[in-house]
Amino acid sequence: MDDSAKPLVSICCITYNHEKFIAEALDSFLMQQVAFEYEIVIGEDGSTDGTRKICEDYQRQYPDKIRLLPFTDNMGALKNVIKTLEAGKGKYIAFCEGDDYWTEHLKLQKQVDILEENPGYSMVFSDRKIVNENGEELGESNYTKEVYSLKDIINGFIPATQTIVFRNNKTLVNFFSFQQGIYSGDRFLSYFCAQFGNIYRLSEVTAAYRDSGSGVWSKYSAIEKLKLREKHLYDFHESVGVCIDDPQFAIKSFENFIELLIIGIRKPSCFFDRNFNNILWMIWKKYRFMNRFKLLRTVLAYKFKKKFKGNSI
């Protein structure tokens, strides 16, 4: 790509051992129909399979569109994200990992139009579908609100990462650099962006998240994911200095658990998709649920008394 031609959007794609999937991801970027210039920046993190060769082939085929960052050693996902974001030249950054892909050819145009017309929004994301390793659809991730705030992020909301487009802020790299060792980078990214404006949801499916069973996250069972989400949210609150003993977070945690429990009742197979011994964790979770119920009663009683204190005749 000509250095003098600055793209409006940089599509940042991190990849590692995605030989089976990277071509589909790159094709979905290249199919975008837009009225502006965009670039594709690939952070190839020293794959041990054929991922690097596929990326090199695409770069040779689209030299004015694709920039490949061929890292020699495997740095890990967070450092790869930092390096790839740092290389993005665009006013806006779109993000998608190498085993996911986009499904809508007007995705970028629609999201950029929203950001251009609404300077108060820091990020736009969309609904997504979930597919398995073979591309067979497993379901969809749908959301209930149109606009999400910093409070929503703190309470645990994370936009679908493979769908996001956000304003390029170079201080983001510095922010990530101070968060070494974190696991949930997408949560910190959303938290950073939400400090500069609300996050808008495009209410249509524009991308696919691949639950292949071999990725960093998808390799875990449903139960393991629940446990990790709770730990990551706790670590996140601790890192950004949020008071995790605040009653609102206790209530939100309780509500999230009830929602997940209902999902488990409707689709019990999702709780035992890896190992039937997970039932032991469910029993333990039920015990914790009872503790949370007691905590919720205490919190509500406290808030009720506080609300009506001094109002009695």
Side-chain angles (χ1 to χ4, degrees):
M1 176 176 289
D2 183 0
D3 290 337
S4 63
K6 186 176 180 179
L8 185 65
V9 178
S10 295
I11 303 172
C12 292
C13 175
I14 65 167
T15 184
Y16 176 73
N17 284 356
H18 292 151
E19 180 180 15
K20 295 180 181 178
F21 314 121
I22 187 63
E24 186 171 18
L26 295 177
D27 287 339
S28 74
F29 306 155
L30 292 165
M31 78 173 183
Q32 294 300 302
Q33 297 179 9
V34 296
F36 50 79
E37 293 295 324
Y38 70 92
E39 66 173 353
I40 302 170
V41 184
I42 308 172
E44 206 296 296
D45 200 14
S47 297
T48 58
D49 61 4
T51 302
R52 173 70 60 87
K53 183 180 184 306
I54 295 171
C55 292
E56 290 172 343
D57 290 342
Y58 269 82
Q59 185 185 41
R60 281 192 292 269
Q61 190 174 356
Y62 301 96
D64 295 332
K65 186 70 69 177
I66 294 177
R67 284 196 290 136
L68 176 62
L69 308 178
F71 303 122
T72 305
D73 300 319
N74 177 244
M75 301 180 295
L78 181 59
K79 289 185 178 179
N80 193 0
V81 167
I82 292 173
K83 293 287 187 182
T84 307
L85 290 177
E86 194 172 28
K89 300 177 181 178
K91 177 181 178 181
Y92 302 109
I93 298 289
F95 190 83
C96 186
E97 294 190 34
D99 55 344
D100 302 325
Y101 60 95
W102 295 345
T103 60
E104 166 58 51
H105 63 281
L106 293 175
K107 173 189 183 296
L108 274 188
Q109 186 66 62
K110 292 178 180 180
Q111 291 178 300
V112 168
D113 285 347
I114 292 170
L115 289 171
E116 290 279 85
E117 295 168 7
N118 299 275
Y121 293 147
S122 63
M123 175 189 290
V124 176
F125 76 104
S126 77
D127 297 339
R128 67 178 181 183
K129 67 178 181 178
I130 302 170
V131 301
N132 63 16
E133 185 173 1
N134 300 318
E136 298 166 338
E137 189 166 345
L138 302 176
E140 288 186 5
S141 295
N142 300 112
Y143 305 87
T144 57
K145 295 171 61 175
E146 183 178 80
V147 178
Y148 292 82
S149 67
L150 179 61
K151 182 178 179 180
D152 293 311
I153 303 299
I154 292 175
N155 281 343
F157 170 73
I158 306 177
T161 310
Q162 54 285 134
T163 74
I164 61 175
V165 178
F166 56 94
R167 301 184 189 277
N168 190 359
N169 187 329
K170 290 304 181 182
T171 60
L172 172 61
V173 173
N174 295 330
F175 175 75
F176 268 133
S177 297
F178 284 106
Q179 305 297 333
Q180 296 297 325
I182 64 171
Y183 184 93
S184 186
D186 49 357
R187 192 188 302 276
F188 281 86
L189 171 60
S190 302
Y191 172 79
F192 177 87
C193 290
Q195 295 184 75
F196 298 94
N198 288 333
I199 295 175
Y200 182 84
R201 169 199 168 213
L202 178 64
S203 58
E204 60 181 87
V205 174
T206 71
Y209 164 71
R210 196 184 304 275
D211 191 355
S212 63
S214 59
V216 173
W217 181 249
S218 59
K219 67 182 180 182
Y220 295 109
S221 70
I223 294 297
E224 290 169 332
K225 288 176 182 177
L226 294 183
K227 290 189 285 187
L228 285 170
R229 283 192 184 103
E230 187 170 355
K231 180 183 184 303
H232 295 161
L233 185 58
Y234 179 92
D235 293 343
F236 167 71
H237 285 163
E238 188 174 48
S239 179
V240 299
V242 171
C243 177
I244 57 177
D245 294 326
D246 191 307
Q248 66 172 320
F249 298 121
I251 294 174
K252 184 65 178 178
S253 181
F254 175 83
E255 292 173 345
N256 286 344
F257 173 69
I258 292 298
E259 181 181 350
L260 292 168
L261 188 63
I262 292 173
I263 293 172
I265 293 171
R266 291 175 178 172
K267 298 181 179 180
S269 61
C270 77
F271 280 84
F272 309 106
D273 57 353
R274 293 285 193 273
N275 189 339
F276 189 74
N277 289 333
N278 283 328
I279 194 170
L280 297 176
W281 190 79
M282 283 299 294
I283 294 172
W284 178 74
K285 195 70 177 180
K286 182 179 179 180
Y287 170 76
R288 294 196 63 187
F289 159 72
M290 296 303 295
N291 287 341
R292 287 183 178 182
F293 179 70
K294 292 176 182 177
L295 176 60
L296 180 64
R297 285 191 305 175
T298 302
V299 169
L300 292 179
Y302 170 77
K303 295 186 75 172
F304 180 82
K305 290 178 181 178
K306 184 176 181 180
K307 180 177 180 180
F308 292 99
K309 183 179 180 180
N311 292 341
S312 58
I313 297 175

